């Protein structure tokens, strides 16, 4: 069988359908069949604010070629086609992958009270089309917290 290094839902991507390539979160790619180039690189399609405060890694995996690539995400995986100029606001850790051409920006998560007490952080990510995006409902960090609970405090 085919499995990633952590419990996840596997998505098969036919890269011939995405000639400009796909960027996925670091560690999402784990296997491929055929001619697939996997390179780590700086996030593209993001402005400086999104790169510094976007919540996702500055380093993404770039997938290109004419084979099949397999990536893993946690929770429910949703694929959405964004039209030119269409945007979606998502939790920063929900971004699993997107095609080149999708732009990423940030937006303040809400009012001061929401930022301080809402547990969603300061910023949300804004993804703007055209292109295809894949979102996950539970990041590996949230999954680990759900399994292990919060980190233990050292007494001393």
């Amino acid at each position: 069988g085919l499995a990633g290094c952590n419990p996840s839902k596997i998505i098969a991507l036919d890269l011939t359908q995405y000639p400009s390539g796909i960027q996925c979160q670091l560690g999402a790619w784990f296997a491929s069949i055929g001619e697939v180039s996997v390179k780590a690189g700086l996030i593209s399609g993001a402005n400086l604010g999104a790169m510094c405060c976007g919540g996702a890694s500055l380093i993404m995996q770039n997938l290109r070629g004419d084979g099949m690539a397999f990536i893993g995400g946690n929770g429910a995986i949703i694929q959405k086609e964004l039209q030119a100029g269409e945007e979606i606001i998502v939790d920063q850790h929900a971004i699993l992958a997107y095609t080149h051409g999708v732009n990423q920006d940030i937006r303040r998560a809400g009012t001061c009270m929401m930022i301080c007490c809402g547990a969603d952080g300061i910023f949300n990510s804004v993804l703007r089309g055209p292109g295809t995006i894949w979102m996950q409902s539970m990041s590996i960090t949230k999954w680990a917290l759900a399994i292990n609970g919060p980190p233990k405090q050292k007494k001393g």
Side-chain angles (χ1 to χ4, degrees), residues 27-50:
W29 173 86
F30 65 90
S32 55
I33 299 171
E35 296 295 320
V36 176
S37 167
V38 181
K39 294 182 180 175
L42 287 176
I43 188 172
S44 67
N47 66 26
L48 187 58

Side-chain angles (χ1 to χ4, degrees), residues 112-144:
C112 185
M113 182 67 121
M114 187 65 183
I115 290 170
C116 293
C117 303
D120 286 333
I122 299 172
F123 298 107
N124 287 321
S125 291
V126 179
L127 299 174
R128 189 172 299 111
T132 306
I133 62 172
W134 291 266
M135 298 170 288
Q136 61 186 354
S137 65
M138 181 175 273
S139 69
I140 190 66
T141 307
K142 288 182 181 179
W143 180 83

Side-chain angles (χ1 to χ4, degrees), residues 5-6 24-30 61 72:
C5 59
N6 58 36
C24 59
Q25 79 176 200
L26 201 57
W29 173 86
F30 65 90
Q61 291 177 310

